[in-house]
Amino acid sequence: MSTALAQPGDTSSLEARAARLKEIAADIRVSIVNTIAGPRMGHIGGDFSVTDILVTLFFDIMRTRPADPEWAERDRFILSKGHCSAALYSVLATAGYFSPDLLSTFMAPLSVLNGHPNRRKVKGVEANTGPLGHGLPIGVGAAIAATISKSDYRTFVVLGDGELQEGSNWEAAMFAGHRKLSNLTAIVDRNRLQQGARTEDTNSLEPLGDKWRAFGWEVHEVDGHDHAALLAAFEAPRIDKPRFLIANTRKGKGVSFIEDRVEWHHKVPSPEQVLQAIEELRAQ
Amino acid sequence: MNDMSAPVTSGIETFDCRVAFAETLAELARVDPRIVVVCNDSVGSSNMNAFQKEFPERLINVGIAEQNMVGVSAGLANGGFVPFVCCAGPFLTGRALEQIKADIAYNHYHVVLCGQSPGMSYGELGPTHHSIEDFAWMRALTDITILNPADPKQTRDAARWAAQANRPIYMRVGRFKVPAVTPEDTVFEPGRALTLREGNDVTVIATGVLVSCALEAADILASRGISARVLNMMTIAPLDEAAVLAAARETRGIVTAEEAIITGGLGSAVAETVVRHHPVRMRILGVPHFAPTGSASFLLDHFGLNADGIVTAATELMA
Ligand SMILES: Cc1ncc(C[n+]2csc(CCOP(=O)(O)OP(=O)(O)O)c2C)c(N)n1
């Protein structure tokens, strides 16, 4: 498996980069299954829907130094939907922030790999998240910090679509638009499911793009499992607005019996299902 | 979550207070058309699926929006309904704290805030998901009655009382499986401590999950010749000051035990009372700081919130 981070100035074609990311994503999904199979806890549905977004950011787009995680010029990444820590931990371990061996301690007593990311314990984690609706305001602050300190790092925040029902996001969206934070990108993992039901049946979000446009954001809509499309959206020329990416995804993407099923928000596969899931992922 | 039975209850039959709560709420709703449930994408996690089926119009799921949830509840109360707000403890008391203060308490609306899966019952999910600050936060507000039932009977009784109490209430709805500690013939009295065991050497004042631990501790202490009084303090606010002061006068010291942050909870309430009227030696058992990762029962043991911890504290007081 190719785990090397993309090198600055990489001149490979978009297709070649996307193909490489696809391979990494398959490995990450297997890692997620193994990570949550141990403690028999986790949020596999949302882990799988967000995997391709995380992989594209960490293994191609973002400027990072896993060996020097506090490097001041690093791009900032905040997983606002913090319940999907297993996906983030798998990505961070694969990217070299810490040893993949650590993943086997997920949620074990006194482990640093808590059920929700903890920046005081885990390298590569920028913010403690878990209560929904916290990531975007922190991201706005990080983006403002970059402008004040004349740094050119970018800030990326991944949100759940159910999470967008929290009002704090809209306060942050309004302010980011007002401040024209062109160094800020928010990505919504638009899998159309939340914990108990479909988002559109619970507290509907549509027309989602129009809402963000009205708040002063540049909006892109992409297939959130298409690495080439994600790369293109992240690399689009910047205008003086924050960028909102609607990444259309499938909750549980990659495993037939999990995909788009609300009950898999935090259900855990049985030992037989673990084997089947890994088999399906390997076949892709 | 894996292991939801309290560490002290091996071998004893235990019960899920959430089930008792959900059944009671449905019973109440059948006879009282004012009762509605308000939740935050938490129908399943609050055991409200059956309620939603039976009363689809009377379950209002606002989505993931807790501040809105509490404000909406205030408006429902204004319109003559009695909202039971069913939400995970941390996202209720913490997330909507100012709405609880200004919209519910200050308006004195009859809203029952039900903190589901309180304390460290979401152990592995970490401190963001632990509701251990709820007593401190709710105690800082005037007008809110704080109930922490210790078993299914108290949960049922508390819900029934809350439905007609005509005031703001916060109650915990436990996720830990707990043994029955309340005698079936006990008459429910909010604001009154229940004496579960008489004793004149030391008093253990416990609440919620810790009540069964206190009873076990009293047995151990008795075998060592120490007579421990055990109070189940189900009502954190208003506190039963008479029971606290009787304990201060009649025994040599008080141990408090709660699944909550030490600052501002039951122990603080008891200490504030005794220091004003009858200072006495105390040990306050609770959670000292953000918890590490681990299951709920692991964390209780980690912080000494079990029978052994209570025995040690009581023995120290007797020295
Ligand atoms: C403030 C807050 N309220 C409720 C929850 C409980 N919760 C955890 S995940 C979740 C659903 C999130 O849905 P979404 O944002 O769409 O995430 P995804 O479907 O991608 O997993 C809920 C309600 C929480 N973590 N924080």
Side-chain angles (χ1 to χ4, degrees), chain A residues 43 45-47 49-50 81 83-84 116 130-134 159-166 189-196 199 249 251 265-266, chain B residues 40-42 45 63-66 87-88 90-91 95 129:
Chain A
H43 292 85
D47 285 337
S49 66
V50 82
K81 41 172 264 177
H83 55 286
C84 296
H116 293 84
L132 297 165
H134 285 252
L159 301 150
D161 51 1
E163 182 182 14
L164 285 183
Q165 292 160 353
E166 291 284 2
D189 179 6
R190 185 71 169 119
N191 58 34
R192 295 180 175 265
L193 287 174
Q194 51 194 93
Q195 182 169 282
T199 55
T249 57
K251 206 156 170 173
H265 176 70
H266 51 27
Chain B
N40 65 327
D41 192 18
S42 54
S45 54
I64 309 169
E66 294 76 16
C87 174
F91 310 132
R95 193 58 185 263
H129 285 56

Side-chain angles (χ1 to χ4, degrees), chain B residues 32-290:
Chain B
D32 186 345
R34 300 173 308 151
I35 288 176
V36 292
V37 168
V38 186
C39 63
N40 65 327
D41 192 18
S42 54
V43 180
S45 54
S46 301
N47 271 28
M48 287 297 141
N49 287 314
F51 188 100
Q52 185 175 36
K53 228 179 175 162
E54 190 172 347
F55 307 103
E57 293 272 293
R58 289 158 68 185
L59 185 133
I60 296 135
N61 178 5
V62 301
I64 309 169
E66 294 76 16
Q67 299 182 68
N68 186 39
M69 170 183 74
V70 174
V72 164
S73 305
L76 284 161
N78 173 284
F81 287 92
V82 178
F84 276 70
V85 181
C86 297
C87 174
F91 310 132
L92 174 57
T93 56
R95 193 58 185 263
L97 186 55
E98 197 188 73
Q99 278 77 11
I100 295 174
K101 170 186 167 180
D103 306 353
I104 306 294
Y106 191 40
N107 283 319
H108 205 82
Y109 276 132
H110 182 189
V111 172
V112 188
L113 303 162
C114 307
Q116 305 262 343
S117 303
M120 297 180 294
S121 42
Y122 285 131
E124 299 88 342
L125 299 189
T128 56
H129 285 56
H130 297 165
S131 179
I132 54 174
E133 301 87 358
D134 52 350
F135 292 161
W137 286 339
M138 294 297 99
R139 279 189 67 230
L141 306 180
T142 42
D143 282 28
I144 292 208
T145 302
I146 308 174
L147 303 176
N148 186 30
D151 65 3
K153 172 173 164 48
Q154 280 201 324
T155 303
R156 267 186 240 110
D157 289 348
R160 287 191 189 117
W161 176 76
Q164 50 73 47
N166 198 24
R167 55 176 302 104
I169 293 160
Y170 170 67
M171 68 179 276
R172 279 188 174 189
V173 179
R175 183 192 181 94
F176 252 116
K177 287 217 169 94
V178 284
V181 290
T182 313
E184 272 306 319
D185 57 357
T186 308
V187 178
F188 182 80
E189 279 186 277
R192 289 294 301 279
L194 257 179
T195 306
L196 294 180
R197 187 129 343 153
E198 297 290 354
N200 45 30
D201 287 329
V202 63
T203 302
V204 181
I205 304 181
T207 188
V209 159
L210 273 296
V211 173
S212 63
C213 303
L215 289 170
E216 195 182 329
D219 287 341
I220 299 170
L221 288 165
S223 72
R224 297 179 191 172
I226 298 173
S227 152
R229 177 180 304 185
V230 176
L231 302 184
N232 172 3
M233 195 63 86
M234 182 206 62
T235 312
I236 310 292
L239 192 72
D240 186 346
E241 298 205 341
V244 169
L245 291 176
R249 292 201 180 95
E250 295 160 17
T251 66
R252 282 166 59 190
I254 295 174
V255 178
T256 61
E258 62 197 302
E259 190 191 12
I261 194 82
I262 283 169
T263 323
L266 170 67
S268 297
V270 170
E272 289 162 17
T273 303
V274 300
V275 86
R276 276 201 302 268
H277 303 285
H278 192 95
V280 67
R281 296 180 74 192
M282 274 190 72
R283 285 282 184 287
I284 297 177
L285 304 183
V287 185
H289 48 65
F290 288 131

